[in-house]
Structures are given as C-alpha cells and as structure tokens.
Amino acid sequence: MSTSVPPSPRTRLRSLPRPAWLRSPEVLRTEVLAGLVVALALIPEAISFSIIAGVDPGVGLFASFTMAVVISIVGGRPAMISAATGAVALVVAPLVHDHGLGHLVAAVILGGLIQIVLGGVGVAGLMRFVPRSVMVGFVNALAILIFMAQVPELIDVPWVVYPLVAGALVLMVALPRLTTVVPAPLVSIIALTALTIGAGIAVPTVGDKGALPSALPVPGLPDVPFTLDTLKIIAPYALALALVGLMESLMTAKLVDDLTDTHSNKTRESIGQGIANVVTGFFGGMGGCAMIGQTMINVKNGARTRLSTFLAGAFLMVLCISFGPIVSDIPMAALVAVMVLVSFGTFDWHSIAPATLKRMPTGEITVMVVTVAAVVATDNLAIGVVLGTITAMVIFARRVAHLATVEPVLDPDGTRVVYTVTGELFFASSNDLVHQFDYAGDPDTVIIDLAAAHIWDASSVAALDAITTKYAARGKTAQITGLNHHSAKIHNSLTGELTGTH
C-alpha cells in the first residue's frame, strides 16, 4: 500500500497564487507610482487635519503612515487609502482642547476596539440599505468638499499661484493623451517644484503647513490615568470616531467597488479599520479612516492592489524623514491642482444633466439634494448619508403606504361581504386600513381575505385587531383568511396582545 507524502511548506508556499504586481512589471510600476502620488498628496492634508484636531503635524502624519500600512494588510478593499481624515479630526478636536493628547490617543484605541466589535457583529451589512440616490449625493458632495477645501489655498496668495495652478491643470489634462507611462499628477508636482525652486518663485509650500517629523514613531501606552473617569471622558468621542470612521470607510469601499467593477469584503474592512486605529493609537497617532480624495487619486491612476496602499504609507514616512527639505519645497499650487482635478473627476456630472433630471423621480432627486446639502452644510459626510438614507426611507414608506388597497365584494344573497386586501401592510399603510370598512352597513358575516397581502409589523396586527373589534361591538363576525406563513406567524403571536382585548 502506497502512502502519499504531504507537501512541504516550501511547496505549499510556491502553490499559492502570486499577487498581480509580482506577475506583471506593468502592474508593479502602476502601483508604485500611484502610491508615490498619494503619499505626496497626503502630507499637506495630514498636516492640515492635525491643525484642525489641535495636535502637532507629526501626530497626523504618523496616523496616516500607520493607518495606510496596517489597512493594506488587514483591510477588505484593495487600493483604498486610509489615513488621518478631516471627519475624525473634527470629532476629536474638542477632546484634545479639553483634555490633551493622551486622552486623544486613548480614545483612538477605544474607538478601534469598538470598530472591531461592530465589524464582528455584521454592521457592514447595513450598507445594503443605502440607496443609490444617497450614493450619488455622497459622491457629488465629496467632490464639492474636495474642491472647497482647496479654496483657502487660493485666497491671499501671490498672483503667480494662479498661473501655476492653471498650468498644472493643463499639464495633467494634456499629458495622458501623449503618454500614460508616468502618472500626470506626479509629473505636475515635479515640474512645478523644479520651476519654483529653479526660478526662485516665492509661493506657499508644503513646509509652510508645519514641520515634518525626522524619526519613525515608537509604540507606547497613552499617558492617561487608567480609571473609570477617563473612560467616561473618552467613551463618547471613541464611539463617534468609530461610527464616523466606519461609515466613511464603507461608503468609500462601495464607491471603489463601483469604479473598479470588483467586490470587497466589507466585514473584513470594518474589522481592519478597527485594528488599524488600535495600532495607530499605540503609535501616538490621531486615528483615521478611508480617505476618499486620496483613494480617488489612487484608483484614477490605475492602482488596484494592496501594494499601492502600503507604499503610500511607506513613501509618506520616507519622504518626510529622508527627503523632508525637498518635500517641504513642493508648492501647494501643485497639490491644489491635483485635488481640483480629482474633484471634477469625482463629481457625477451625468446625475445633474437636464435629460437625467427630467427622467428621475422627484423623490430620488430630493434624496440626492438632501444628502449633498447636509454634507456641504456640516462638512460631515456621515451626517449627509444618515439624513439622505432617512429621507429615502420616509419617501419609500409614503410611496408604499398607498399601495395597500381594499376591495369589498358583497355576496348575491347579501348575507356576507368579502374584503380583498392587496399590498404590503406595515406601520404606514395600516393606519388607513381601519377606515376602509363599512362597519355599520356590512352584513353580519365579514371575510377579510389577506391572500394578496403581507403583514410586516405589529402596527398591522393592531389595525386588524381594531377592525375585528369594531365589527364585534356591532354584533358582527369578522374572519381573517388567506394569511401566508410569515403573516400567520406574526399575527398569531400578537393578535389580542396589542389592544388590551384577550
């Protein structure tokens, strides 16, 4: 009898599928260059978010480094960029102002743990309830926010900034028509940096945003007392950080899914965001989540794998530590031009075309407008998504509520009437149900046929109980028939328990 020899670990390792960037030099080049462009764009943004949060620039840069590197390994959406974000900065700014950096770090760690728990219990599944109109509003609002974030960089600046931005835009639009070997944004950044340094043109630079770190972050525990009082202080901020971070990350993952025609593991992404925030906290970072603007840069430059995300974080630290003086001289005009182009490319122009608006239902347009207005008014993408989704639910409930109909048919002998109920019975549609029966004029026997209806909630059962009670008060018998399995189950368990009659 022959015995098979199990394959060695080396053999099993060789049999594993290799990443696309290892199989193709073209893919490797695309991923490396896209990661470099993202890293350059991350530096001023991370510094700006640090200022919003009230911490040193290094805290935001360290967060961007650890978030990108960790999420590239444990995340569920390849090519998506996670780093320090404005949404997280706005959440934690009051905590830093009142209690300092130590409490911020503790809140980031706790927020990461909450995200891990939420991811484990399946919160990512709630994304299926976000309608397309909310998604379109989210994308358009994002594009508007990206553009508006560049406006301060164009106010009270030397006049030469404007032709520099215009030149960079022309270069990024024209270059891809000639060659796509090197990303146009990277060429634009290098060209403007060389021009301003070589010609001695004095314009705002990355260095004006703050000092870059000169050493790698080291892990450590947050400098706070480990007491219940500390937990009470940081818990609300940690919960807000977790919810805002997950919402933005899951929305971004869904957007990248649509752009790349691929599917991502939202549960893994949710847990991965938590792990990345925990690691970031222990390294003294301010926390973060998916960055939609930088993700758009990455994806638009052709990146599709985890390598670009990892390299964005790695290049960020290398640029700051090894090439700090050079990076500090990059003109903000170059990065503003990159982000302006990203904002125009992100906006869904088809969604506001007259032909589209003419065909689109009014409710869908309303949801999109509410989402955009809420985001632009609050600078918070999460608030816009929540309000847009609630608006969509209300419109849907109102629309479906009118789909439940009641048709009475009187027997020829006049001794019995059959009411045929058609449609979905839930809290909105069942409210009008009670008023569609002729309690005084009907004969003594009433049949309520629900074969073409479906009971969804307790409100519907309560409405049916009220109907049978009204008939009983007049000495008449109302019988409910035709219930499907689910409807019968919920009706039998709740009938008589909601109106006080047994």
Side-chain angles (χ1 to χ4, degrees):
M1 187 175 74
S2 62
T3 58
S4 59
V5 178
S8 66
R10 180 176 295 179
T11 301
R12 286 198 297 268
L13 186 62
R14 287 174 179 170
S15 66
L16 293 175
R18 293 192 301 167
W21 51 269
L22 277 179
R23 300 193 304 269
S24 167
E26 178 72 16
V27 173
L28 177 61
R29 179 188 61 79
T30 299
E31 298 294 316
V32 170
L33 293 177
L36 180 58
V37 173
V38 171
L40 290 169
L42 273 175
I43 293 173
E45 295 245 335
I47 294 174
S48 298
F49 298 148
S50 300
I51 295 170
I52 293 173
V55 296
D56 292 334
V59 176
L61 291 166
F62 290 156
S64 298
F65 163 64
T66 53
M67 287 292 299
V69 169
V70 174
I71 206 66
S72 70
I73 300 169
V74 301
R77 174 62 262 179
M80 190 169 79
I81 304 297
S82 291
T85 63
V88 170
L90 290 171
V91 168
V92 301
L95 178 63
V96 177
H97 181 269
D98 296 336
H99 300 281
L101 179 62
H103 284 75
L104 163 63
V105 172
V108 170
I109 295 172
L110 179 59
L113 294 174
I114 294 173
Q115 287 178 326
I116 293 172
V117 172
L118 291 175
V121 300
V123 71
L126 296 176
M127 285 302 297
R128 69 168 68 96
F129 297 108
V130 178
R132 183 186 179 279
S133 49
V134 172
M135 193 69 193
V136 173
F138 173 83
V139 170
N140 290 345
L142 161 67
I144 294 171
L145 287 186
I146 293 175
F147 181 83
M148 290 173 61
Q150 312 314 310
V151 173
E153 304 296 337
L154 300 173
I155 298 175
D156 294 330
V157 293
W159 67 268
V160 73
V161 168
Y162 304 113
L164 286 174
V165 171
L169 288 171
V170 171
L171 179 60
M172 286 187 289
V173 171
L175 184 62
R177 300 180 182 181
L178 302 176
T179 179
T180 56
V181 174
V182 182
L186 180 59
V187 175
S188 174
I189 291 170
I190 293 174
L192 261 67
T193 303
L195 175 62
T196 53
I197 293 176
I201 302 174
V203 292
T205 64
V206 170
D208 296 333
K209 292 290 184 180
L212 302 181
S214 58
L216 288 171
V218 293
L221 294 174
D223 184 18
V224 295
F226 292 90
T227 63
L228 186 59
D229 288 338
T230 300
L231 181 61
K232 290 179 180 178
I233 292 171
I234 67 173
Y237 297 97
L239 179 61
L241 183 151
L243 294 176
V244 169
L246 276 185
M247 189 173 296
E248 292 211 18
S249 298
L250 293 174
M251 289 294 289
T252 306
K254 192 171 187 295
L255 177 61
V256 177
D257 289 353
D258 294 340
L259 289 173
T260 60
D261 292 325
T262 56
H263 178 70
S264 60
N265 188 331
K266 305 299 189 302
T267 297
R268 177 176 173 178
E269 182 62 36
S270 301
I271 296 173
Q273 288 290 329
I275 295 172
N277 270 307
V278 170
V279 173
T280 296
F282 281 119
F283 276 91
M286 60 180 277
C289 61
M291 291 194 77
I292 306 177
Q294 272 61 32
T295 298
M296 289 298 100
I297 294 175
N298 203 38
V299 173
K300 297 290 185 184
N301 280 306
R304 294 293 184 271
T305 75
R306 299 176 185 275
L307 180 63
S308 58
T309 306
F310 177 86
L311 289 177
F315 282 147
L316 174 66
M317 278 294 98
V318 171
L319 289 169
C320 290
I321 295 172
S322 301
F323 301 97
I326 297 175
V327 173
S328 296
D329 287 334
I330 294 176
M332 286 301 300
L335 299 175
V336 167
V338 170
M339 298 307 291
V340 167
L341 194 64
V342 167
S343 71
F344 274 82
T346 301
F347 197 92
D348 186 353
W349 297 101
H350 177 71
S351 67
I352 61 171
T356 303
L357 295 176
K358 188 179 296 185
R359 292 192 301 267
M360 191 77 69
T362 304
E364 301 291 314
I365 297 174
T366 301
V367 170
M368 182 175 69
V369 171
V370 167
T371 304
V372 173
V375 172
V376 173
T378 63
D379 282 340
N380 192 318
L381 290 163
I383 291 177
V385 171
V386 170
L387 290 180
T389 303
I390 292 173
T391 303
M393 289 179 175
V394 171
I395 292 174
F396 174 77
R398 287 176 58 87
R399 188 179 300 159
V400 175
H402 299 295
L403 297 181
T405 60
V406 179
E407 294 292 337
V409 177
L410 185 66
D411 278 1
D413 58 7
T415 60
R416 188 183 75 157
V417 64
V418 177
Y419 282 92
T420 301
V421 182
T422 304
E424 308 300 321
L425 301 182
F426 64 111
F427 61 89
S429 61
S430 60
N431 284 334
D432 296 330
L433 195 64
V434 179
H435 307 296
Q436 299 190 46
F437 293 81
D438 185 5
Y439 303 103
D442 282 341
D444 291 343
T445 302
V446 178
I447 304 297
I448 304 173
D449 183 7
L450 297 180
H454 190 100
I455 296 175
W456 287 104
D457 59 9
S459 297
S460 304
V461 177
L464 292 171
D465 282 354
I467 293 168
T468 56
T469 300
K470 287 179 179 293
Y471 278 116
R474 290 170 172 79
K476 301 176 182 182
T477 301
Q479 181 182 358
I480 297 173
T481 64
L483 293 171
N484 59 38
H485 176 72
H486 179 273
S487 297
K489 183 177 180 181
I490 190 172
H491 182 266
N492 293 338
S493 64
L494 295 177
T495 184
E497 302 294 330
L498 302 171
T499 61
T501 59
H502 296 273

